[in-house]
Amino acid sequence: MHGPTSPSAPNEGLLAGKTAVITGASRGIGLAIAIRFAAEGANVAMIARTQEPHPKLPGTIHTAAARAEAAGGAVLPLVADVRDDRALADAVERIVERFGGIDILVNNAGSVDLTGAEQIGMQRYDHMQAVNLRAPFLLSKLTLPYLRTSARAGRNPHILTLSPPLNMNPGQVGNGVAYTVSKYGVSIATVGLAHEFRSYGIAVNSLWPRTKIDTAAVRNLLGGAEAVAASRTADICADAALLVVTSPAATNTGRLLLDEEVLAANGITDLDRYRVVPGDGALANDLFIDA
């Protein structure tokens, strides 16, 4: 006769016991990061807007949370619009109530529209500034008290934002300048916040893919099936993100990083497994990355 089933062994991964907050976590890069962090034992708070299935966008916050939980972490799905100050403040309160603190913030939620300055409506302009620039800044402020507590406890806190290196090539800056302003703005904020928060022991960095990534934005807005075939999977960003947030916060801060560079610095140079379509075909550079 068998005794009672013993509980499953605790996840003792690289992020065991740490709490990560990830915005835009219902699909794409945000979901990949959530799954990767959960697999390493993190408590993962997943913030997204999508509650109901969308005809062009795969998954909801609930299906995404189920996938992250299956990977091995404790998961808290939160429905919130990152443009809503009260909703974000409430989300942070719920996260701390559930998990006791915050160690990692990943600002991934984004909005992209490459319409030129002459044609774009100011409502679209304001939307991109609110999602791409204002929300990461606000969340950095809202989570700061808990990240400082994390630092005092020696828990290596990190803020990581999905935003690009500051490529001042006019052809890059001028390709949808309304979008560029929002993404470059948050990259500048990364450098500034890293300087301001350095004395607290909190790292602040940005991460950007060198190549296009197979996301809904690429499928629907940035080239469709042809672009997807020349893209990598979101797993490359997730693996790079894990390497960044497990690096020493005291010294690895204020950097605008490319996924390939992060992997190469950690001895990972064979990137074939990240291709959407296996083979030797040319990969498409992501926005803001020169040939």
Side-chain angles (χ1 to χ4, degrees):
M1 183 175 177
H2 296 290
T5 304
S6 60
S8 58
N11 187 323
E12 297 180 353
L14 294 171
L15 298 178
K18 293 189 177 181
T19 296
V21 181
I22 304 168
T23 65
S26 60
R27 62 184 63 90
I29 293 172
L31 174 56
I33 292 174
I35 291 170
R36 190 73 180 88
F37 285 14
E40 291 294 340
N43 305 317
V44 182
M46 302 171 68
I47 299 175
R49 282 196 310 167
T50 308
Q51 295 190 72
E52 303 296 333
H54 187 284
K56 289 188 176 181
L57 302 174
T60 68
I61 186 60
H62 306 296
T63 60
R67 291 181 61 186
E69 196 164 40
V75 176
L76 176 62
L78 295 164
V79 178
D81 187 332
V82 296
R83 297 172 296 168
D84 184 333
D85 291 19
R86 185 68 256 166
L88 287 186
D90 288 346
V92 169
E93 286 182 13
R94 288 186 60 190
I95 293 162
V96 174
E97 183 180 295
R98 168 75 182 275
F99 296 125
I102 296 170
D103 304 291
I104 299 164
L105 168 63
V106 179
N107 292 304
N108 167 74
S111 175
V112 56
D113 188 331
L114 300 183
T115 303
E118 184 177 2
Q119 294 82 23
I120 196 166
M122 291 311 294
Q123 187 173 359
R124 281 296 301 153
Y125 178 94
D126 290 342
H127 182 273
M128 283 192 288
Q129 307 310 309
V131 174
N132 297 344
L133 175 54
R134 190 177 185 279
F137 189 88
L138 175 58
L139 268 171
S140 298
K141 285 171 61 67
L142 290 171
T143 58
L144 177 60
Y146 307 104
L147 295 171
R148 291 180 70 174
T149 298
S150 175
R152 288 193 292 269
R155 294 171 62 82
N156 199 42
H158 280 259
I159 297 173
L160 183 64
T161 299
L162 274 291
S163 70
L166 297 173
N167 181 350
M168 301 310 291
N169 177 341
Q172 297 285 3
V173 178
N175 180 26
V177 66
Y179 178 66
T180 304
V181 167
S182 69
K183 297 305 286 188
Y184 279 28
V186 76
S187 292
I188 292 170
T190 286
V191 176
L193 292 174
H195 176 77
E196 184 174 340
F197 296 170
R198 183 185 293 271
S199 63
Y200 303 146
I202 301 167
V204 188
N205 293 292
S206 283
L207 179 68
W208 196 246
R210 186 191 71 76
T211 69
K212 281 190 168 66
I213 300 296
D214 180 13
T215 61
V218 169
R219 290 176 177 268
N220 298 328
L221 299 171
L222 303 177
E226 184 177 346
V228 169
S231 296
R232 287 177 173 146
T233 68
D235 291 338
I236 189 171
C237 296
D239 287 351
L242 178 65
L243 289 167
V244 174
V245 303
T246 53
S247 67
T251 55
N252 189 25
T253 188
R255 303 178 67 193
L256 307 177
L257 300 159
L258 290 178
D259 55 357
E260 277 189 12
E261 294 174 346
V262 173
L263 294 171
N266 287 271
I268 303 167
T269 55
D270 183 358
L271 307 181
D272 287 348
R273 66 182 180 276
Y274 298 116
R275 284 176 169 266
V276 174
V277 178
D280 298 322
L283 291 165
N285 284 348
D286 199 10
L287 297 170
F288 312 117
I289 305 299
D290 289 334

